[in-house]
Every structure is written in structure tokens, then in C-alpha cells.
Amino acid sequence: MTPGNSNIIWSSARSEAALEAGLPVPIEIRPMRNSRRLRLRFDDASGTLKLTCPWRTSRRAALKWALDQRDWIDAQLARSEPGEPFMPEATFPVEGRDVRIAWSEKSPRTPRLEGSELVCGGPQAGLQRRIQLFLKRLALEVMSREVAEFAALAGVSARQVSVGDAGSRWGSCSSAGRIRLSWRLILAPAHVRRYVVAHEVAHLVHLNHGRDFKALEARLLGPGVAEAKAALRRVGPRLRRIGRG
Ligand SMILES: [Zn+2]
């Protein structure tokens, strides 16, 4: 039996309680007579998830579906917490290493990395925007190179690579070969970022998460897919707060 198969059996044997424990906050499930599909929203006031679903949906099916929305849930949680704006003396990670914002009005406006400092100048008013622009450019440069590297290994090429801040997703790949990645990945440790890039490049070949996809993803990244995935889950919520507020 392949590890993939045993994984499926294990997860279908998971109890409702174990499924529920996989969610970061409490969930309230409400079957509705006139509901046609499952809907999830995060209630800021109570800090709970509210799920409505068609009348006959089992609690277990609803929980499994909610677990699949984990990236979206994390994004909602991040949004409801205070942000970490880019301010003088603030510290945030670049490629997983802490960098301090060293601001002085007389330094050049364009931020630059010098060891563990991000040196930036110009009026403090536009600092937030200038730092974000700098990080977006860096993210695009680094990840375009990595897309090309992995695509060459897979024997394909991406039509376009772009960076954005697409809500709950770290990356996406269209059937037309366009890869879009969150600029926030440049904040994460390199291995975590490379995992997301390898994942999206593997989608250039397989537009699903099947066995062939997983084999290609593992071949592109090398060892450590599961570790990188777990690390992204751990650091993701903070990465979404950085540069906000
Ligand atoms: Zn995917």
C-alpha cells in the first residue's frame, strides 16, 4: 500500500472530534432547509466560524469540507488580528531572517537590504508603500527565477509569473500556464517559499492534486514537502499580518 492510500484510510477513520480539533477556532454548524451548498463565514465578534449547509449534510461531511477551507480560514483570522505595519525600528522577516527597518529621512528613498537592516529614507508618510513595493519586486525577481528553475526540471514553461496579495491563496496556476504567487512568500524561509513555487509549477503539468502531481512536486522540491507545508501553516498567519495596518 502506498503512503497516499493509507493516508486516505486514516483520514476517513478520523473522528468528528479529531476533525473539529483540526480547526483553529470553534465552529457552529447549522443545516438549513433551503440551503443548496455549504457556506462558511468567520464571525469577528465571537471569534467563531459559522457554517451553513444543506439539510441532509452530515456533521462529519461539513467538518471535512470546513477543513479543506483552512487557507481561507487562516486568512480571515489574520485579517481580524492587528497588523504589523512597516514603521521605523519595526522588525519583520525577509526569507525567514529578521530585518530591522532603519529609517532616516536623509537616506535614499528606495529601500535596500544591508545585512539585518532594511535601510530606507524619504518622508515617513510613504514608507509603508515603498517597503511593500520593494518586497514585491524582490519576490517577483526571486520567484520568477525559481519558477524557471523548476519548470526546466519538469520540462515545461510558464506563460507568465506575477505576484499579488490574493487573499487566502499563497499561489495559483491557471490552465493557460499563468502562475500567480503571494509577494508575502518572500518573508517566509526559503524552503517554504520554494515549496509553494514547486507546487504551482507542478500544476503546469497536472491541474489536480493526484498521485502524479504529488510525485512531480516531490521530484521538483526534493525532500521536505511535508515539513515545508507544516511550516507554512505555522508561519502563514503572521506573514499575512505583516505590512498591514
Ligand atoms: Zn494546488
Side-chain angles (χ1 to χ4, degrees):
M1 191 187 290
T2 67
N5 281 338
S6 63
N7 200 16
I8 288 162
I9 289 162
W10 175 77
S11 85
S12 68
R14 270 205 284 180
S15 68
E16 280 177 17
L19 288 170
E20 203 162 346
L23 293 168
V25 287
I27 188 166
E28 191 183 290
I29 298 172
R30 209 145 58 96
M32 310 251 279
R33 287 206 185 276
N34 55 1
S35 158
R36 294 212 174 151
R37 58 190 191 88
L38 294 104
R39 266 172 209 271
L40 191 60
R41 80 184 171 82
F42 178 68
D43 181 48
D44 267 325
S46 61
T48 58
L49 291 162
K50 311 262 185 196
L51 187 153
T52 55
C53 54
W55 193 248
R56 290 178 187 281
T57 311
S58 71
R59 184 171 171 79
R60 154 172 205 89
L63 284 169
K64 280 186 109 170
W65 180 82
L67 271 176
D68 283 342
Q69 320 302 316
R70 185 61 203 264
D71 279 351
W72 180 87
I73 294 169
D74 285 345
Q76 305 310 304
L77 290 178
R79 212 159 287 157
S80 73
E81 283 168 34
E84 291 185 36
F86 294 130
M87 290 188 319
E89 298 307 312
T91 298
F92 69 95
V94 175
E95 299 203 51
R97 278 189 299 272
D98 271 351
V99 161
R100 186 178 65 90
I101 299 175
W103 174 79
S104 107
E105 195 151 17
K106 292 185 192 92
S107 296
R109 274 177 180 248
T110 308
R112 63 181 192 282
L113 272 172
E114 281 183 14
S116 61
E117 288 191 338
L118 184 66
V119 178
C120 27
Q124 203 181 329
L127 189 62
Q128 173 99 348
R129 196 187 53 80
R130 291 199 298 279
I131 293 180
Q132 196 179 104
L133 196 62
F134 166 80
L135 291 169
K136 277 187 176 167
R137 282 194 183 134
L138 181 63
L140 183 62
E141 183 194 315
V142 170
M143 293 194 287
S144 294
R145 215 161 45 218
E146 288 171 344
V147 166
E149 171 197 330
F150 290 133
L153 270 176
V156 288
S157 65
R159 178 163 293 176
Q160 190 190 54
V161 182
S162 59
V163 297
D165 197 4
S168 61
R169 306 178 80 176
W170 293 110
S172 63
C173 177
S174 77
S175 55
R178 292 191 171 85
I179 289 180
R180 194 161 171 77
L181 297 152
S182 167
W183 68 265
R184 295 174 183 282
L185 288 165
I186 199 66
L187 307 172
H191 191 67
V192 172
R193 177 192 72 233
R194 286 175 64 82
Y195 150 70
V196 177
V197 177
H199 181 100
E200 299 310 333
V201 169
H203 276 317
L204 289 173
V205 184
H206 307 285
L207 274 172
N208 55 54
H209 291 131
R211 187 180 300 199
D212 291 345
F213 168 85
K214 285 193 171 127
L216 177 59
E217 179 188 49
R219 182 163 74 80
L220 297 180
L221 185 69
V225 169
E227 289 82 353
K229 212 170 172 174
L232 180 60
R233 189 120 283 166
R234 223 168 30 241
V235 300
R238 177 168 181 223
L239 300 190
R240 289 190 163 114
R241 293 198 296 271
I242 291 172
R244 273 188 31 232

